[in-house]
Amino acid sequence: MKNIVILTGAGISAESGIRTFRDQNGLWENHDIYEVASPEGFHSKPDLVFEFYNQRRTQLLSSEVRENLAHHALGRLEKEFDGDVHLITQNVDDLHERGGSTNILHMHGELLKAKCQRTQKSYEWTGILNDQSICDCCQSKGNLRPDIVWFGENVYHMDKIQNLLFKCDLFISVGTSGQVYPAAQFVSWIPNNALSIEVNLEKTQISNLFDKHYLGEATKAVSNLVNDILNGELQ
Ligand code: OAD
């Protein structure tokens, strides 16, 4: 086994204090998804959308949120595995980076970045973002938005993601409900002889597409899985 590709979703950050999207008390509960995660929503209520992501960014940078054992285990896997380990994440937090992973593709964008709508240039952004924010490229107000992929927009890095999936021999999906495309399809794109493993609290609507399952909280299940891989005990 030489090429491992891992897809992560909100479930891996749940034990870090970041709410998932579709579980009870999910992030979307008090908001209509399209209001805060679509270009149309941003166009009609920019203040609400800026505020929504400002709150998420502030929380991510507060002492409330820390990377957890699952993030650390994946960081360790990348360092210690004798082969390539690539992470594709739907999460917009930076907890994989804090957990020591470096080969990361953020397919849904990043909370700690802002994007100029005129030039598409992306900037590190840790403070408050609003219609008064100024980008370096235009030196004018009103062009920046959260660098998040909203509904109806193209996900980032699709070419790289496809190439990684086509040549992987182990595909692992962690903490994602399998309800959002294209991520929900990735398991179908891997080679026939590749092994697929799903890690989740419970079975999902795409569980039947995976060869193996590690059921349980990500902190325990991912740590166990990484130990099994590194000890050569994966069947
Ligand atoms: P969801 O909220 O849809 O699913 C979270 C999954 O994590 C569920 O299957 C839970 O069972 C599982 N889960 C919860 N806690 C867990 C834990 N402690 N350990 C292991 N699993 C746990 O989140 P995503 O699948 O990531 O897109 O959602 C995909 C996309 O939908 C998001 O990236 C977001 C949203 O629209 C954008 O923001 C563009």
Side-chain angles (χ1 to χ4, degrees), residues 48-109:
L48 176 104
V49 176
F50 275 128
E51 178 55 20
F52 179 82
Y53 292 99
N54 283 337
Q55 280 178 13
R56 311 264 88 71
R57 191 177 310 106
T58 304
Q59 185 209 19
L60 179 60
L61 294 173
S62 75
S63 53
E64 259 175 60
V65 171
R66 289 192 58 187
E67 75 281 11
N68 65 46
L69 291 175
H71 299 105
H72 280 293
L74 295 182
R76 179 173 157 239
L77 181 66
E78 185 187 311
K79 273 192 202 77
E80 297 183 11
F81 179 67
D82 183 17
D84 285 340
V85 176
H86 288 271
L87 208 51
I88 304 165
T89 187
Q90 298 169 89
N91 299 342
V92 297
D93 63 53
D94 65 341
L95 299 184
H96 283 305
E97 284 85 346
R98 295 192 213 173
S101 294
T102 61
N103 287 334
I104 309 171
L105 294 173
H106 279 274
M107 62 182 289
H108 288 167

Side-chain angles (χ1 to χ4, degrees), residues 27-162:
L27 193 60
W28 305 108
E29 256 188 15
N30 303 322
H31 291 279
D32 179 280
I33 287 191
Y34 292 95
E35 199 170 50
V36 293
S38 72
E40 296 77 18
F42 182 56
H43 185 71
S44 67
K45 292 187 183 164
D47 291 348
L48 176 104
V49 176
F50 275 128
E51 178 55 20
F52 179 82
Y53 292 99
N54 283 337
Q55 280 178 13
R56 311 264 88 71
R57 191 177 310 106
T58 304
Q59 185 209 19
L60 179 60
L61 294 173
S62 75
S63 53
E64 259 175 60
V65 171
R66 289 192 58 187
E67 75 281 11
N68 65 46
L69 291 175
H71 299 105
H72 280 293
L74 295 182
R76 179 173 157 239
L77 181 66
E78 185 187 311
K79 273 192 202 77
E80 297 183 11
F81 179 67
D82 183 17
D84 285 340
V85 176
H86 288 271
L87 208 51
I88 304 165
T89 187
Q90 298 169 89
N91 299 342
V92 297
D93 63 53
D94 65 341
L95 299 184
H96 283 305
E97 284 85 346
R98 295 192 213 173
S101 294
T102 61
N103 287 334
I104 309 171
L105 294 173
H106 279 274
M107 62 182 289
H108 288 167
E110 292 173 72
L111 205 42
L112 301 182
K113 287 190 176 165
K115 184 172 76 172
C116 173
Q117 298 175 85
R118 204 177 64 82
T119 64
Q120 307 302 314
K121 201 168 172 332
S122 186
Y123 295 95
E124 305 284 325
W125 207 272
T126 52
I128 296 298
L129 183 69
N130 57 32
D131 61 2
Q132 298 301 301
S133 304
I134 295 176
C135 53
D136 280 350
C137 46
C138 312
Q139 288 293 329
S140 58
K141 294 175 191 169
N143 289 338
L144 286 171
R145 58 165 265 189
D147 194 0
I148 305 286
V149 176
W150 286 328
F151 285 99
E153 297 182 321
N154 292 328
V155 303
Y156 292 159
H157 312 301
M158 264 325 283
D159 287 350
K160 280 188 194 159
I161 289 173
Q162 268 183 346

Side-chain angles (χ1 to χ4, degrees), residues 9-11 15 21-23 90 108 149 151 175-177 180 200-201 218:
E15 292 163 82
F21 297 92
R22 291 174 184 81
D23 293 325
Q90 298 169 89
H108 288 167
V149 176
F151 285 99
T176 176
S177 58
V180 174
N200 202 298
L201 269 185

